Amino acid sequence: RTDPAWWTTAVVYQVYPRSFADSDGDGIGDLGGVLQHLDHLADLGVDVVWLSPVYPSPQDDNGYDISDYQDIDPVFGTLEQFDELLAAVHARGMKLVMDLVVNHTSDEHPWFLESRSSTDNPKRDWYWWRPPREGMAPGQPGAEPTNWHSFFSGPTWELDEASGEYYLHLFSRKQPDLNWENPEVRRAVHEMMNWWLDRGVDGFRMDVVNMVSKDVAADGSLPDGPPLPGTPWGDGSAAYICGPRIHEFLHEMHEAVFAGRDARLITVGEMPGVTVEDARLFTDPARAEVDMVFQFEHVGLDHGPGGKFDPRPLRLTDLKASFGRWQAGLADVGWNSLYWDNHDQPRVVSRFGDDSPRWRVRSATCLATLLHLHRGTPYVYQGEELGMRNFPFTHIGEFRDIESLNHHAQALAAGADEETVLAGLRAMGRDNARTPVQWDGTEHAGFTTGTPWLPVNPDHREVNAAAQRDDPGSVFAHHRRLIALRHEVPAVAHGDFTMLLPDHEQVYAFTRTLGDVELLVLCNVSGEPVAVDVPDGWAGSGLLLGNVPGDPPGGVGELRAWEARVHERS
Ligand code: TEU
C-alpha cells in the first residue's frame, strides 16, 4: 500500500447492543435503539461502528455463543431492521463492522447438534472430540483429555454421556471450539463472512481469532500445560495462543474473503496474549492477514499474582514501557489499535483514573488524550465518551457475567474469602462495562421504558449524554475534539512517536513528528500538580488541546492535577 489506508485516520465506536438503547421496552437494548441514537455517534465524529454480536444465541455469554451466523436474534430485532440500520449508518458516512465469533459456536448451533449426534456423523470432526485420558473412564476426575483451565473457570472439556467422549471449550461449556484443522469448517466460515460482506457490511472484529489454531500432534493429541496455582487445572495457552497454523489460516481467510474486494474494508483481530513480534506479522499489509489487532498487555498490567481478579495499582512506568514497545514495534510495519475500554474491561476512569466527583471529568479527559494522541486507530467503547464509571456492586446476586459468577463459585469452593473475591469482581468484573448507557437523568437514564436487564448506575442523574452534549467542558466534548484532531492534524494519525520521561511515575509525555510539524503531549496521570523538564524550544508553543480551562501554568512543563495538554510547533 503506498498511501496510508483510510482506517489509519479513523476512530471506531463499539456498541454493545444489549446495553446501548432499548426501543421496545423489554429492558434489553436492540437494533431499534441503535438506530435511534446514531446521531449521537455522528455528533461525536466517529468513522466506524463495531457492533457486538446480535445473532441468534442462547445468551450464555451474552451473544458470544452463536447458534445461527446468518440471522438476527429476535431480542435484538430482524434482518430487515439490520439492513435498515446498515443503510442509516452508511447514510451518515460511517461504516459498520460485525463481530465475528468463529473460534467456537453455541452448543445449540445445528453444526454442533449434528456433530454430537453420533461418533460417525459427517460433522463429528467439525469440533474437538476426544476419548477420556488413557486408561481412565468417562467422568472420572482427571479423565479430561488435557488439564487446561477454561477462561470461565473449571476444565475446558465437557463429557458427552451419550458417546463417552469429551468436547473442547476454551470458554463456557455452551461454547464448543470449532476444529479449524478441518478445511470444511474454514470453508463454511469464509462463506458466511462473504454473505455478510455481500450484504454491505464493512468488515469484522474477530473474536479471539488467534486461538483458532491449536498445537495438535499428528496422532490428534493435545499437550497438557503447567499447573495453575490454586486450581486443579493447568495453563494450556501455549497450545492455543497463536498456534502453529494461525498465520496460514488468517492468510487463507484473507484470500477467500477480502482479496479482490475494494479497500473500504477493515479487520481487527482480538488476540489475547499476542506479542509485538506476532503483531508485526499479523498486521504487515504485505502478508495479507488482518489490518490491526487488539493486544492485551496494557490491560494485564494491574493483574496481581492471582490474575485478573487479584488487581493491584497500575505503575505508570509499566504502561509507558508496554505502550512504548508497541509504538516502536509497529512503527515501520503494521498498525496499532488503541483502547482502554470494551465490554470485557472495567471502566478506565475507575480503573486508571480517579472517578471521585472532583476528578472524574479531569481524569477521564486526561486518559482519553493520552490514548488518542498515540499512533494507531482509537476505539471508543459506549459510555467511555461520557466518562461512565464502574457500578457500585454490593453482593454476588447483582452480577450477571458468566466469567464473574463462575470465578466466584470456583474461588469460594477453593476456600477464598468472599469479601476478597467480591472486591476483585467489583474492580475488574465485566458487568462494570455492561450497565446501560446513560442517555439522560430520567429513571433508567433513558435506556428503557421497562426494567433494565442490568441496573443503571445511580450516578446517571449527573453522568449522562444530555447533560454533556452542549457543555464544552464535558468528557463528550473532549472526545469530539480528540476525534476532530485526528481527522484534521496529519501528525496525530501518522507522526512518528517518541517517548519522553520513561522513568517518571506521574507524567506520561511523548512527541509526535511529521515533516516539520511536532506535537508535544504532556499528561499528568495523578491528582498532584507537578513540574517536569521538557525538551528546549517548547516555551510559547501553540496549545492545540487541553483539558483544564484557563492558561496553563508558568512553565510549559508545569501540569495541574490530571492535566493533559497537546502543544504544537513547526
Ligand atoms: O474475549 C476474549 C477474552 O479472552 C476475554 O474473555 C478476556 O480475556 C476476559 O474477559 C478478560 O479476562 C472475547 C469476547 O470479547 C468476550 O466477551 C467473550 O466472552 C470471549 O471472547 C468468548 O467469546
Side-chain angles (χ1 to χ4, degrees):
R1 178 176 288 120
T2 50
D3 62 316
W6 64 269
W7 35 259
T8 60
T9 59
V11 177
V12 183
Y13 186 96
Q14 181 192 356
V15 169
Y16 189 72
R18 82 181 289 124
S19 305
F20 187 73
D22 168 24
S23 69
D24 62 8
D26 67 356
I28 299 173
D30 48 40
L31 296 182
V34 182
L35 191 58
Q36 286 168 358
H37 290 276
L38 280 187
D39 288 337
H40 174 77
L41 307 190
D43 188 13
L44 190 55
V46 298
D47 307 277
V48 183
V49 180
W50 151 29
L51 199 58
S52 274
V54 289
Y55 319 99
S57 161
Q59 304 295 330
D60 190 57
D61 183 19
N62 288 3
Y64 281 90
D65 50 314
I66 295 167
S67 55
D68 182 345
Y69 284 111
Q70 295 176 214
D71 201 348
I72 303 296
D73 194 291
V75 82
F76 295 119
T78 64
L79 261 178
E80 291 66 35
Q81 280 180 303
F82 173 80
D83 291 338
E84 190 186 343
L85 173 62
L86 180 61
V89 166
H90 286 163
R92 285 168 177 75
M94 297 187 287
K95 297 180 190 298
L96 183 70
V97 158
M98 299 295 271
D99 211 316
L100 182 77
V101 187
V102 289
N103 171 69
H104 46 271
T105 69
S106 164
D107 67 340
E108 298 180 30
H109 192 292
W111 294 347
F112 186 74
L113 299 179
E114 284 182 53
S115 179
R116 84 179 309 166
S117 64
S118 74
T119 53
D120 57 5
N121 180 281
K123 283 199 168 53
R124 189 70 176 180
D125 189 39
W126 279 47
Y127 293 85
W128 293 87
W129 291 98
R130 291 294 185 278
R133 201 180 281 268
E134 190 72 34
M136 299 186 81
Q140 188 180 341
E144 293 83 6
T146 67
N147 69 346
W148 302 353
H149 184 255
S150 163
F151 282 92
F152 295 157
S153 301
T156 57
W157 296 93
E158 179 72 7
L159 176 63
D160 171 47
E161 301 282 354
S163 64
E165 292 191 338
Y166 291 83
Y167 65 84
L168 175 67
H169 61 86
L170 296 181
F171 292 91
S172 89
R173 58 170 57 89
K174 285 183 69 64
Q175 292 172 291
D177 281 52
L178 280 166
N179 171 16
W180 275 64
E181 298 299 315
N182 186 330
E184 294 170 22
V185 167
R186 306 201 301 268
R187 189 175 311 114
V189 168
H190 300 160
E191 282 167 15
M192 174 269 287
M193 293 175 72
N194 277 313
W195 185 84
W196 282 107
L197 294 183
D198 292 345
R199 203 170 188 96
V201 306
D202 302 294
F204 296 99
R205 174 268 188 185
M206 303 179 182
D207 189 66
V208 293
V209 74
N210 65 322
M211 298 186 193
V212 297
S213 166
K214 272 73 169 176
D215 186 9
V216 59
D219 67 0
S221 65
L222 291 158
D224 277 339
L228 265 179
T231 80
W233 313 106
D235 173 6
S237 60
Y240 59 75
I241 294 287
C242 299
R245 300 180 68 185
I246 188 60
H247 293 289
E248 173 199 340
F249 289 162
L250 285 178
H251 182 65
E252 178 191 60
M253 175 193 281
H254 186 280
E255 295 311 286
V257 177
F258 301 105
R261 290 182 183 271
D262 66 41
R264 66 181 164 87
L265 302 177
I266 177 173
T267 56
V268 51
E270 187 215 20
M271 299 195 176
V274 70
T275 63
V276 180
E277 293 67 35
D278 296 330
R280 282 174 65 86
L281 301 177
F282 285 122
T283 65
D284 176 353
R287 294 171 55 92
E289 295 181 22
V290 291
D291 295 324
M292 62 192 96
V293 303
F294 287 143
Q295 54 101 359
F296 280 66
E297 270 187 26
H298 60 303
V299 291
L301 295 174
D302 59 348
H303 293 187
K308 158 180 186 174
F309 293 114
D310 174 26
R312 60 183 177 191
L314 172 75
R315 271 188 1 172
L316 194 66
T317 46
D318 290 347
L319 181 67
K320 290 189 228 187
S322 180
F323 271 178
R325 238 173 338 96
W326 279 88
Q327 290 289 303
L330 298 182
D332 59 324
V333 70
W335 192 251
N336 271 292
S337 73
L338 305 170
Y339 74 92
W340 291 130
D341 285 19
N342 58 42
H343 63 293
D344 294 331
Q345 300 297 333
R347 294 276 181 186
V348 71
V349 70
S350 301
R351 180 183 196 176
F352 296 149
D354 177 340
D355 67 6
S356 67
R358 181 178 185 200
W359 296 123
R360 180 183 63 83
V361 172
R362 187 83 71 78
S363 65
T365 53
C366 177
L367 291 165
T369 306
L370 190 161
L371 187 77
H372 281 248
L373 268 291
H374 275 72
R375 180 182 163 93
T377 297
Y379 287 71
V380 179
Y381 177 65
Q382 64 182 40
E384 181 179 1
E385 82 279 13
L386 303 176
M388 277 177 62
R389 294 186 173 99
N390 279 355
F391 185 87
F393 292 104
T394 53
H395 58 88
I396 191 62
E398 293 181 305
F399 291 87
R400 291 286 173 282
D401 177 24
I402 186 167
E403 181 189 38
S404 294
L405 296 173
N406 287 6
H407 170 72
H408 179 266
Q410 178 170 288
L412 263 59
D417 162 65
E418 176 158 36
E419 255 323 295
T420 306
V421 173
L422 281 172
L425 294 179
R426 208 173 284 127
M428 303 296 279
R430 303 192 299 181
D431 286 311
N432 282 303
R434 302 174 180 187
T435 63
V437 171
Q438 296 163 198
W439 297 106
D440 59 40
T442 63
E443 190 191 17
H444 304 320
F447 165 73
T448 180
T449 56
T451 304
W453 72 277
L454 191 64
V456 175
N457 196 312
D459 70 1
H460 70 276
R461 303 203 185 288
E462 303 83 46
V463 183
N464 64 69
Q468 297 188 32
R469 189 159 300 114
D470 302 323
D471 169 4
S474 67
V475 181
F476 179 82
H478 194 81
H479 275 82
R480 187 166 45 194
R481 285 194 289 273
L482 285 168
I483 295 165
L485 215 55
R486 180 166 292 270
H487 291 152
E488 293 156 11
V489 180
V492 174
H494 298 130
D496 293 340
F497 178 95
T498 305
M499 185 70 81
L500 303 177
L501 307 173
D503 303 325
H504 204 287
E505 287 296 357
Q506 258 185 289
V507 174
Y508 194 120
F510 56 92
T511 61
R512 301 290 308 279
T513 309
L514 185 71
D516 59 7
V517 173
E518 209 174 357
L519 308 179
L520 171 65
V521 184
L522 298 167
C523 305
N524 178 0
V525 188
S526 86
E528 298 303 322
V530 65
V532 292
D533 296 329
V534 298
D536 292 340
W538 283 100
S541 58
L543 183 66
L544 208 51
L545 181 69
N547 72 336
V548 181
D551 289 337
V556 71
E558 283 186 37
L559 294 164
R560 290 160 281 189
W562 293 106
E563 180 166 18
R565 296 207 304 272
V566 184
H567 291 265
E568 180 190 23
R569 72 183 184 188
S570 53

